[in-house]
Structure formats: structure tokens, C-alpha cells
Amino acid sequence: MGLLNDRIKQPQPLQILQQNRSGDKLKPIEENAVLTLKLKRGMAMGLLDDLKKQADLVKTQQILQQNLQGDKLKLVEDKMKQTFQYVHELLKQLAVVKPTSPLVYSIPGVADFRNLVFTESFIDYRKKRINDKEYFDTNHFFIKWASPETVVIEKDMPPLMQRIRESLWLSKVKFIEEEKKNAKGFVVGAKFTVPAAVLTDIVIKADHEQGRLLFQTTHLFGLGVEYLSVPAAEIGDDLLEDFARALIGQHSEIRKYRVAGAPGMFR
């Protein structure tokens, strides 16, 4: 019986005794509950610490991205302004000199235009608002090359008429078409009158997000539309001078910036 009583008096293995604040009485506390509470607190603090670190990292990345985008915005703005000022001055000088383009503008099945002379030009720009501030959006200008000559073509077969018409449309030159009809009102022929004039048309679009200037050029290297993508950091006096050579039909390295197809901003 003594041995049995001793076993009964021993504390349970999952209980500990803690002295209360009065110091005169002991209070049993479940050890498992204490350990579980501490474990939950540790897990909660660890999760909060991890989330805080992740949030700090995201904020840092956002600040870096904003700074980078701000740098691109300023760079593109400066280069768009520099380009506009350069071309504006160039066109004023060309209006005085009135150079002759050395290029041959070929319209398949129609004619080859040669010795076209600088006739007139135009330049303008547009801006857009970004973050409550105005920035360059596009620079647009054109040069008209022309001569007193006029090409007249007459065709009396519908397939030939359509071929000439499509060739003129694709060449993006102005022309006048006069249809010939018989007594019954059926079209039996057509007369095409094509002035010897070509418009070199340039639209420069600011791509602030990618830090570049996008060029849509019409009849720059001859008849046709081509696109250029130029990093803003590469825009400078040398590149603008090279671009000016292309505008007056001289050899230019600006072709190396050509891209296949129209960039999204021009679609």
C-alpha cells in the first residue's frame, strides 16, 4: 500500500508546478499548451518578418523602376526636342538652297522620276501629358520634291488599267484618273495623269517606356514606307547629320536602324 500511495502522489508527467504571484500557492499549467502557444507565436512572428522583408524588397524594386523610367522619360524628351530643333533648322536652310535629289523614284509600269527639286516643307510636333506634365509625343515633317514634268498614261484594257491603278496606289503618289466610256456607258479605257512629285514624309514617335525614338519614313530611300528604331541614347549631332544626308538623298548609315514591319505605335 505504501508503494501504491507513493505512486499516486507523484505529479503527472504532462503537468508542471508554477508559483503564483502571492508565493503561497502552486498553480498547475499544461506544458503542452505552453509549448503550443510559444510555437504559434514564433510562427506568426516568422511569417510577419518574411512578409515585411518581401514588402521592403517590392518597394525597393518599385523605387528603382520609377527612377529608371524617370531617366528614360527625360532622355527621350531631350532627344525629341533636339531632333525637332535640328530638323527645323535644316528645313529652313534647304528652303534657301533648294537642292536636287539624286534619287530615282521608280513607279513600276508608269515612270521613273529623276532630278526632283526641293519645293516646299512643313514641320510640327505634338505633346501629351504624362504625370501632369507635357512631353513630346510626335515630330512630323515632310519635304516635297517635284519637277515641271507630268506623266500621262492611257490604257484601254481593264486588266492594264487595274495594274496601273494599283501601282500608283502602292507608290503613294498623287494622280488623276479619267475614265473613258462608250455610248452605252461602259468603261472602255482610262487616262492617268501623274505629276512628277514625291512627298518624303517622316513621323517620329517618342517611345518613353522603351527609351527610343521610332521613325515612320515614307519615300526616304526611294518610293516606299520603312521604319527605324533608334535608341534615344544614340541620338546626337553625328546621327542627326547622318539622317539629314538621307533626307537629301545622299549615302547614309541611318539604314542600320531599319526594322521589319511597323512597330506597335504605328499600327
Side-chain angles (χ1 to χ4, degrees):
M1 291 295 295
L3 181 59
L4 180 60
N5 290 337
D6 290 340
R7 290 179 179 178
I8 293 176
K9 294 178 181 179
Q10 289 180 358
Q12 296 298 318
L14 295 181
Q15 289 185 334
I16 61 172
L17 297 179
Q18 179 178 341
Q19 193 172 23
N20 64 11
R21 293 181 179 178
S22 62
D24 57 2
K25 187 176 182 181
L26 293 177
K27 179 182 179 182
I29 299 179
E30 293 290 339
E31 184 178 10
N32 284 351
V34 175
L35 293 175
T36 301
L37 180 60
K38 289 182 177 180
L39 182 59
K40 288 183 178 180
R41 287 178 178 175
M43 290 177 62
M45 293 301 295
L47 178 61
L48 288 176
D49 288 341
D50 289 342
L51 291 175
K52 182 179 179 181
K53 290 177 181 179
Q54 293 179 26
D56 290 341
L57 180 60
V58 170
K59 289 178 181 178
T60 301
Q61 291 175 342
Q62 289 176 341
I63 292 173
L64 292 174
Q65 185 64 29
Q66 290 172 357
N67 291 339
L68 179 61
Q69 197 61 37
D71 292 341
K72 287 182 180 180
L73 197 65
K74 184 179 184 306
L75 178 62
V76 171
E77 174 70 6
D78 291 344
K79 298 306 181 179
M80 285 288 288
K81 182 178 180 180
Q82 181 182 4
T83 301
F84 177 85
Q85 291 174 339
Y86 183 94
V87 175
H88 185 264
E89 184 62 29
L90 173 68
L91 295 180
K92 288 197 298 184
Q93 302 305 321
L94 292 179
V96 177
V97 178
K98 296 187 182 301
T100 298
S101 174
L103 296 179
V104 177
Y105 301 94
S106 297
I107 306 175
V110 178
D112 292 338
F113 291 152
R114 290 182 169 87
N115 301 318
L116 301 187
V117 178
F118 179 98
T119 303
E120 63 177 302
S121 66
F122 167 85
I123 186 169
D124 195 11
Y125 66 86
R126 289 185 178 181
K127 290 193 172 186
K128 68 178 181 179
R129 183 171 293 275
I130 302 176
N131 298 330
D132 296 326
K133 187 176 179 181
E134 294 288 330
Y135 291 90
F136 274 90
D137 184 32
T138 59
N139 290 334
H140 173 226
F141 65 93
F142 68 74
I143 297 174
K144 183 178 180 180
W145 306 92
S147 78
E149 299 179 3
T150 299
V151 176
V152 178
I153 301 174
E154 295 189 53
K155 297 294 181 180
D156 57 4
M157 296 290 290
L160 295 177
M161 292 162 49
Q162 184 62 22
R163 191 178 304 169
I164 295 298
R165 190 180 297 115
E166 290 178 353
S167 184
L168 290 169
W169 282 339
L170 290 173
S171 299
K172 297 183 181 296
V173 296
K174 291 184 177 181
F175 66 95
I176 298 173
E177 179 181 353
E178 300 174 69
E179 294 182 339
K180 296 180 179 180
K181 298 181 180 180
N182 59 19
K184 295 182 179 181
F186 293 105
V187 176
V188 295
K191 176 183 177 181
F192 299 90
T193 303
V194 188
V198 171
L199 204 68
T200 299
D201 188 270
I202 310 293
V203 178
I204 305 174
K205 179 76 173 178
D207 186 353
H208 299 98
E209 184 175 345
Q210 299 299 325
R212 60 184 179 174
L213 275 61
L214 301 175
F215 292 64
Q216 176 180 273
T217 72
T218 303
H219 307 333
L220 177 61
F221 305 112
L223 293 181
V225 179
E226 298 195 61
Y227 299 91
L228 311 175
S229 177
V230 184
E234 297 185 26
I235 299 288
D237 291 340
D238 291 342
L239 186 141
L240 291 174
E241 184 174 333
D242 191 51
F243 179 54
R245 285 195 288 268
L247 286 172
I248 59 176
Q250 296 182 3
H251 175 74
S252 169
E253 298 297 329
I254 199 73
R255 292 171 178 264
K256 69 181 182 180
Y257 295 103
R258 288 187 296 184
V259 293
M265 290 186 173
F266 290 118
R267 292 174 188 166

